Amino acid sequence: MTDEELCPCGSGKPFDTCCKKEYDHANAAREKIKQAMSDPKKAQELKDLLKNINKGD
């Protein structure tokens, strides 16, 4: 997506001035999770965290 394209959220604003920051944060978080999942110990910690979140803790 180029900076001149309209934002996919439907605001009518350019992507770079609307949701780009949120997309960048989400992509960075995704990359960190991918890296952590390659480490068995960290992967188990993440799985445990997700189980607790799903339980409402």
Side-chain angles (χ1 to χ4, degrees):
M1 181 170 282
T2 65
D3 291 343
E4 293 111 25
E5 290 184 57
L6 293 180
C7 191
C9 76
S11 69
K13 298 177 185 177
F15 176 69
D16 67 329
T17 61
C18 191
C19 292
K20 183 178 185 311
K21 190 182 289 186
E22 286 81 7
Y23 275 79
D24 290 346
H25 286 292
N27 287 334
R30 222 176 267 117
E31 283 303 311
K32 287 180 182 180
I33 290 171
K34 281 183 188 178
Q35 290 173 0
M37 291 303 284
S38 66
D39 177 328
K41 183 179 177 183
K42 288 182 181 179
Q44 188 58 49
E45 290 174 8
L46 285 171
K47 288 175 186 175
D48 292 343
L49 278 171
L50 288 171
K51 283 180 190 175
N52 289 334
I53 289 171
N54 290 333
K55 290 179 185 177
D57 293 342

